[in-house]
Amino acid sequence: MTKFNELEKGGIFGKGIANPYGKFFEGDTFLKALATSPDEKVSVGTVTFEPGARNNWHIHHDGYQILLVTDGEGWYQEEGKAAQSLKQGDVIVTKDGIKHWHGAKADSWFEHIAITTGTPEWLEPVSDEEYSKL
Amino acid sequence: MTKFNELEKGGIFGKGIANPYGKFFEGDTFLKALATSPDEKVSVGTVTFEPGARNNWHIHHDGYQILLVTDGEGWYQEEGKAAQSLKQGDVIVTKDGIKHWHGAKADSWFEHIAITTGTPEWLEPVSDEEYSKL
């Protein structure tokens, strides 16, 4: 039994569509675009992860990303550091150039708002071996 | 009886502190700072409004504001336009130079995330006469 199954139907801002960046993710994830800043530099959207789903390691170049966890439980990890457990209300700021990944826990749906600027560089997946150790 | 009274104890991200910009608001409001972008240009926080609370008319200069409604019911109005009713999941983008206000409905607590850049210019309050017509 997984936790926060109600997210399968979408949280506060809705579930949106199958993530158009899905090839850079493991598992099923969903993207609801919420807004773009008038200067078109900052995008705001909600990402919903099924249990076990996560993105590849990646870097935000010439920008940053702010994550606001709206529901469920997940993980955030920067290269060379321990993974951090995330729950509703947690906030993460990823600086320019930092290699990292984020996603759901194996037994829980997970949802966060992402405030993003810059250009992502998508890298290798988080292996099942790495992920299963969490 | 007012609606969404549970917000008196804080929503997803917590209630925070008495709003330090309270002199530009009518009624009691609360601010929970969530993040500042690494370039220090964009701030992210949650604002919680007691029923009837609202900010003065104001303008964001050299910037913008994105509102993500997380709970409760409120109003958003741009000068010269009708007020828009807001509920959980609604999103507002206020462009540079637009005179506007936002706040709770008279019978409801209200909470939104605000993603803000630029410099606010605070103007006159929304009068009780204007507000009571909504």
Side-chain angles (χ1 to χ4, degrees):
Chain A
M1 183 63 183
T2 60
K3 294 183 285 186
F4 300 100
N5 294 24
E6 68 279 7
L7 289 175
E8 186 166 2
K9 296 183 179 175
I12 291 179
F13 297 99
K15 189 178 179 183
I17 60 171
N19 189 344
Y21 303 96
K23 67 179 176 180
F24 304 117
F25 287 63
E26 294 286 313
D28 283 344
T29 58
F30 304 88
L31 179 65
K32 176 70 181 284
L34 296 176
T36 302
S37 64
D39 62 10
E40 300 189 350
K41 290 183 179 170
V42 177
S43 66
V44 182
T46 293
V47 186
T48 303
F49 300 76
E50 68 169 355
R54 69 268 188 183
N55 48 33
N56 289 8
W57 289 96
H58 60 289
I59 296 172
H60 300 284
H61 290 287
D62 304 318
Y64 57 83
Q65 189 171 61
I66 299 170
L67 303 180
L68 309 175
V69 179
T70 40
D71 215 349
E73 294 180 5
W75 295 109
Y76 172 80
Q77 186 173 24
E78 297 187 352
E79 189 179 39
K81 297 184 181 179
Q84 297 177 53
S85 178
L86 296 178
K87 64 181 190 311
Q88 188 181 63
D90 287 342
V91 176
I92 292 286
V93 179
T94 305
K95 294 182 178 175
D96 196 335
I98 299 293
K99 182 175 171 179
H100 70 289
W101 67 273
H102 33 114
K105 291 194 175 179
D107 64 350
S108 180
W109 285 77
F110 179 56
E111 184 196 72
H112 64 57
I113 294 168
I115 302 166
T116 312
T117 183
T119 305
E121 178 188 5
W122 293 101
L123 303 166
E124 71 279 9
V126 178
S127 70
D128 287 341
E129 189 185 349
E130 288 175 283
Y131 185 79
S132 66
K133 288 180 186 166
L134 296 174
Chain B
M1 184 63 182
T2 60
K3 294 184 285 187
F4 300 98
N5 295 26
E6 67 279 7
L7 288 176
E8 186 167 0
K9 295 182 180 175
I12 290 178
F13 296 99
K15 190 180 181 183
I17 61 172
N19 188 346
Y21 304 96
K23 66 180 177 180
F24 304 117
F25 287 63
E26 293 286 313
D28 284 342
T29 58
F30 304 88
L31 178 66
K32 176 72 181 282
L34 295 176
T36 303
S37 64
D39 62 8
E40 299 189 351
K41 290 182 179 170
V42 177
S43 66
V44 182
T46 293
V47 187
T48 304
F49 301 75
E50 68 169 355
R54 69 267 188 184
N55 48 33
N56 289 7
W57 290 95
H58 61 289
I59 297 171
H60 299 285
H61 290 287
D62 304 317
Y64 57 84
Q65 189 170 61
I66 299 170
L67 303 180
L68 309 176
V69 179
T70 41
D71 214 350
E73 294 179 6
W75 295 107
Y76 172 81
Q77 186 173 23
E78 297 187 352
E79 188 177 38
K81 297 185 181 178
Q84 297 177 53
S85 179
L86 296 178
K87 64 180 190 311
Q88 189 181 63
D90 286 343
V91 176
I92 292 286
V93 179
T94 306
K95 293 182 179 176
D96 197 335
I98 299 293
K99 182 175 171 180
H100 70 291
W101 68 272
H102 33 114
K105 291 195 174 177
D107 63 350
S108 181
W109 285 77
F110 179 56
E111 185 196 72
H112 64 58
I113 294 168
I115 301 167
T116 312
T117 183
T119 305
E121 178 187 5
W122 292 101
L123 302 165
E124 71 280 8
V126 178
S127 70
D128 287 341
E129 189 184 350
E130 289 174 281
Y131 185 79
S132 65
K133 288 178 186 167
L134 296 175

